[in-house]
Amino acid sequence: MKTKFFTMALLLTMSLTATAFVNPQTKEETEAARMETYRQKIGLDYSMPDYHTRKFDASVMGEHLAKMLRNLDEHKDQPTNRQAIAGIICRQTDNLDFCTVKKFKILDVEKQGDTITIGIKARLEPNGANISTKEINLVFVKGVSENTRVNDLFVALSNYIKQ
């Protein structure tokens, strides 16, 4: 009985070890694949020349980004969009664990080389950090942000405008 148990445990260990060698993806490779998936789903256009604008003009920033920003701006009163912006603000602010966004406004959009920056100003509900307004930048480098919440928001926007 002990030998049978030992043999089964040995076989299980060997199969798990063999599986680990068959798929030797490192953490960096997994992260790179995840970021590439975000990049494809968001679909930002980098063929446009550098710009700095306050309008959602498709001829300046590309049709896809203009549609996503126009959609976000038109639906800025929806709780899901305000919650998404609140989550991004909390992540970008050290002393703010939780916040509620009353309203927000997209200030400007700038493209410099491989970087697209979207400036947003938000008015917050009263909070423990006594921050009433907050300006944030959503930064995309080569089509993807380092902030997962920013990526998730823009994947949702991209999916919405494709419908």
Side-chain angles (χ1 to χ4, degrees):
M1 180 82 163
K2 287 182 181 180
T3 344
K4 190 175 187 182
F5 177 74
F6 178 73
T7 306
M8 288 178 60
L10 182 63
L11 288 173
L12 181 62
T13 305
M14 288 172 51
S15 70
L16 290 174
T17 306
T19 305
F21 287 114
V22 171
N23 190 8
Q25 229 179 11
T26 65
K27 185 177 179 181
E28 292 80 20
E29 290 171 331
T30 304
E31 183 66 14
R34 189 171 69 92
M35 289 300 175
E36 183 58 33
T37 302
Y38 274 133
R39 186 175 291 113
Q40 290 173 0
K41 288 182 178 181
I42 295 170
L44 295 178
D45 182 6
Y46 280 85
S47 66
M48 309 303 279
D50 290 353
Y51 57 83
H52 184 250
T53 184
R54 293 175 185 251
K55 297 180 182 179
F56 311 131
D57 187 353
S59 65
V60 173
M61 66 179 65
E63 186 176 335
H64 191 67
L65 179 58
K67 281 183 178 179
M68 285 191 291
L69 294 176
R70 203 173 298 122
N71 182 278
L72 182 60
D73 189 59
E74 289 171 0
H75 298 101
K76 60 186 168 194
D77 292 331
Q78 287 186 350
T80 53
N81 289 334
R82 289 197 321 262
Q83 288 169 356
I85 297 298
I88 294 165
I89 289 171
C90 290
R91 192 124 192 223
Q92 290 186 7
T93 308
D94 290 335
N95 59 345
L96 192 60
D97 294 329
F98 177 79
C99 68
T100 305
V101 172
K102 284 185 189 179
K103 58 183 180 177
F104 67 91
K105 179 181 181 178
I106 301 170
L107 301 175
D108 58 354
V109 183
E110 180 177 17
K111 177 185 175 283
Q112 291 289 319
D114 288 341
T115 304
I116 294 176
T117 305
I118 302 165
I120 295 180
K121 183 175 186 175
R123 181 170 297 145
L124 307 178
E125 295 282 346
N127 54 64
N130 292 323
I131 299 173
S132 59
T133 60
K134 181 74 178 168
E135 288 189 23
I136 59 170
N137 287 320
L138 311 181
V139 180
F140 294 89
V141 178
K142 295 182 181 179
V144 69
S145 174
E146 289 182 0
N147 187 325
T148 304
R149 290 179 185 232
V150 173
N151 290 328
D152 290 341
L153 172 62
F154 276 83
V155 165
L157 289 169
S158 182
N159 288 337
Y160 183 78
I161 64 169
K162 287 178 183 176
Q163 292 178 353

